[in-house]
Amino acid sequence: MGEERLGGMAAVDGELAALFEQSGGEAVPAYERVKNLVSAQIRSGRWVEGDQVPSEHQLVAATGLSRMTVNRALRELAAEGLIVRTAGVGTFVGGAKASSPLFEVRNIADDIARRGHRHHTEVILVRAETIAPDHTHLRDSLGATAFHSILVHYEGSTPIQLEDRYVSPTAAPDYLAQDFTAITPNDYLSRVAPLIRGEHIVEAVLATSDECRHLDITPTEPCLLIRRRTWSATGLVSVARLLHPGSRNRLEGIFGR
């Protein structure tokens, strides 16, 4: 790594101090200013995946903040996937994994936009289907007929989620008329049948051959599968399988008392 880059030992306190001054005004909490400093260098491409970033000690010395404040900033950046901290080794720019909320139901297009990338959707199918008698969990939940959609969500040119969803015609009667290249099912359903309760079941699985083709992965690629059911005030709205290539995604959540 050359002297022009601030990763690792090439970082100097003067350069870090100057960056800290640019990271926000006095109204911005100190730990957020440290986060802004680090994330701005990563998002600009100045620090790239695998680069060693300034240590906690260097950031404390350059900013004049407490170790506790700097540690909080680095912990939150690590939780967001921007950096990877390895005890006894150092802190490095993380890989480009998308994060999906474990305890929330959010619009994937909004998550991708927050990361500064472009979302687009490939529609595999959207149709009404008679639920097969052996799919008792779907028939018991949604009835004999349901709307079925299969979509692939892209972040830039990379497929990051296959969404296989069955929807209650009673809860969302105009579902089949929607243009899911322009809006997501989550966006539409949150407007016509607002969520009051959800259920997530997370599994590690291997994709089927068709799913591998849609996600552009090999048959041996481990995947994260979220099985999701959502309810509105009038009853069950949808049952979905959300399949994520493991190398491109991570699940995260915050909980506490």
Side-chain angles (χ1 to χ4, degrees), residues 24-99:
E26 294 300 322
V28 179
Y31 78 93
E32 286 284 359
R33 292 182 66 191
V34 176
K35 290 179 65 177
N36 291 344
L37 182 163
V38 175
S39 61
Q41 304 310 302
I42 294 172
R43 297 192 193 285
S44 71
R46 193 176 185 193
W47 300 349
V48 299
E49 181 178 348
D51 277 357
Q52 188 170 12
V53 304
S55 67
E56 186 175 304
H57 174 77
Q58 287 174 299
L59 288 167
V60 167
T63 62
L65 301 175
S66 69
R67 184 172 293 275
M68 182 180 299
T69 298
V70 171
N71 182 267
R72 176 181 177 179
L74 295 179
R75 281 190 290 108
E76 292 193 5
L77 288 168
E80 294 166 13
L82 281 181
I83 62 173
V84 176
R85 307 180 75 191
T86 304
V89 179
T91 302
F92 301 86
V93 177
K97 278 196 175 185
S99 64

Side-chain angles (χ1 to χ4, degrees), residues 147-209:
F147 298 149
H148 186 199
S149 61
I150 300 178
L151 316 173
V152 181
H153 296 282
Y154 284 76
E155 183 161 351
S157 60
T158 303
I160 64 167
Q161 183 193 93
L162 187 144
E163 173 188 326
D164 186 347
R165 184 186 297 268
Y166 287 88
V167 175
S168 163
T170 302
D174 295 326
Y175 188 79
L176 299 184
Q178 305 310 305
D179 178 4
F180 291 125
T181 65
I183 62 170
T184 65
N186 174 278
D187 183 29
Y188 171 70
L189 293 174
S190 66
R191 286 188 277 110
V192 300
L195 172 73
I196 63 166
R197 183 162 68 94
E199 173 190 87
H200 280 169
I201 299 173
V202 182
E203 299 178 75
V205 301
L206 293 176
T208 67
S209 57

